[in-house]
Amino acid sequence: MPPLLRDALPFLVLAVAPVVATLAGADWLVPVFTRMVVFALAAMALDFILGVGGMVSLGHAAFFAVGGYVVGIGSQHVAESTPTPFGLPGWDDLLISLPLAFTVGVLIALPFGWVSLRTRGAYFIMITLALAQMVYYGLVGLTSYGGDDGISMWWGRNTVAGAALPNRLALHFLCLGLLVAAFVVLKRLCAAPFGRVLDGARQNEARMRALGYRPLPYQIGAFALSGGIVAVAGALMANVDEFVSPGMGHWTISGELLVIVILGGIGSLSGAVWGAVVLLGLEEGLKEITEHWPILLGPLLVVIVLFARGGLTGLLDRLGSRRTQGGDDAGGA
């Protein structure tokens, strides 16, 4: 499969599928596809630092939860007509919530990255996990915002420039537009000198230092950017579910994002989209079969990973190369 088609196909699927579902009278499926988009956005941000920078983080759930709470807290103060703890008025518009979520995500990710990147390997993984758990328990302690129960947004999702989104389909395409924008930006960053330095540091950090580069600022910057994008994904998820809770910051969310990246193919940004579509699609399909769906999902993932080395994008590339070779052989004959 040509790389351009491989990259574009999952976006086309996520654009067409909810429209078809709505026309078929199964509009209850639209939030399922929107969740795929949101998790694809978060997984893409993780894949950026993992595939290019070699940073295996188990702490990205913290940024996901923080983004959700930016929406939940702001909306709650608007609904209750009360000022925030900082004396500022609440907010319930995505034009405020999304940039604010990104900013807060970056500001939290900067010190997280600065601390975590002092280590490597398993130590890096464990530190990111420990820092994320600190955020998780911090959110549990927010009794003013529901504590362990979270915030139920009974007043509805955020507006856009003061206008309410007409339906779930509009929210879906808003999320999809942000996913496409993030893909374009991250793709260009990977090809830019910034991405080249990250990739070089992943392969041989000592050599990059010998060439005169200081990889640490690049790595911290990439980690912060990734955290900001994941926070935006969390803010979108809060609008999809109209609910936020500390569970958004549990380490299992980080694990799910990592599974999506591995399933789609590490180092392929579009692979994160493929991984989200397949994983969440399998989850939703198996739930319709049995309430013990995780027992079936585990072996299925093992089989997929074993037969699709390099992830789903690697499998698609191999299938495309075989067809090309087959066509060349037939033409030569």
Side-chain angles (χ1 to χ4, degrees):
M1 180 178 292
L4 182 60
L5 178 60
R6 181 204 66 197
D7 289 346
L9 190 56
F11 295 98
L12 292 175
V13 169
L14 290 172
V16 173
V19 176
V20 173
T22 301
L23 294 176
D27 54 349
W28 58 272
L29 280 173
V30 174
V32 175
F33 295 119
T34 309
R35 287 179 64 85
M36 292 179 184
V37 172
V38 172
F39 271 88
L41 178 61
M44 187 185 294
L46 176 59
D47 189 38
F48 173 65
I49 63 168
L50 174 57
V52 181
M55 294 173 260
V56 184
S57 170
L58 267 180
H60 270 47
F63 313 126
F64 194 70
V66 165
Y69 268 84
V70 166
V71 170
I73 291 173
S75 297
Q76 178 172 312
H77 284 286
V78 170
E80 297 176 349
S81 300
T82 57
T84 65
F86 302 101
L88 300 173
W91 55 88
D92 64 349
D93 196 293
L94 283 174
L95 296 182
I96 299 175
S97 297
L98 295 182
L100 186 58
F102 179 82
T103 302
V104 173
V106 168
L107 291 177
I108 294 176
L110 278 171
F112 274 30
W114 185 84
V115 172
S116 303
L117 286 163
R118 303 293 172 177
T119 61
R120 292 293 183 270
Y123 299 103
F124 177 85
I125 298 172
M126 295 309 297
I127 288 179
T128 56
L129 175 60
L131 292 172
Q133 287 300 98
M134 287 172 52
V135 173
Y136 169 76
Y137 287 111
L139 296 176
V140 170
L142 292 178
T143 54
S144 300
Y145 302 108
D148 198 30
D149 295 327
I151 304 172
S152 179
M153 296 168 57
W154 51 267
W155 49 84
R157 63 178 70 97
N158 285 180
T159 59
V160 178
L165 289 169
N167 49 42
R168 292 172 173 175
L169 200 59
L171 177 61
H172 174 84
F173 279 101
L174 173 64
C175 296
L176 184 59
L178 290 172
L179 176 64
V180 173
F183 175 78
V184 172
V185 170
L186 293 178
K187 195 79 171 176
R188 291 181 67 88
L189 275 177
C190 289
F194 182 85
R196 302 289 186 183
V197 173
L198 283 176
D199 188 50
R202 175 183 61 82
Q203 296 182 51
N204 193 323
E205 191 167 337
R207 180 178 295 175
M208 294 303 295
R209 287 200 186 96
L211 291 173
Y213 292 99
R214 294 179 57 214
L216 184 60
Y218 290 87
Q219 293 167 333
I220 294 176
F223 194 91
L225 175 61
S226 179
I229 294 173
V230 174
V232 170
L236 294 174
M237 183 56 69
N239 281 277
V240 174
D241 293 341
E242 296 182 18
F243 174 75
V244 295
S245 75
M248 295 178 69
H250 198 264
W251 69 268
T252 53
I253 298 296
S254 296
E256 189 168 3
L257 294 178
L258 196 56
V259 169
I260 289 173
V261 171
I262 295 171
L263 183 61
I266 297 174
S268 169
L269 295 176
S270 63
V273 188
W274 279 113
V277 169
V278 171
L279 180 62
L280 273 67
L282 284 173
E283 286 183 2
E284 195 64 30
L286 292 174
K287 285 177 184 177
E288 298 296 320
I289 299 174
T290 174
E291 62 180 7
H292 305 294
W293 58 270
I295 298 176
L296 299 176
L297 180 62
L300 279 174
L301 291 177
V302 171
V303 170
I304 292 174
V305 171
L306 286 176
F307 286 93
R309 296 185 180 180
L312 296 170
T313 52
L315 177 62
L316 291 172
D317 287 341
R318 287 194 297 275
L319 290 175
S321 63
R322 287 177 184 175
R323 289 180 181 177
T324 302
Q325 291 175 359
D328 292 343
D329 292 343

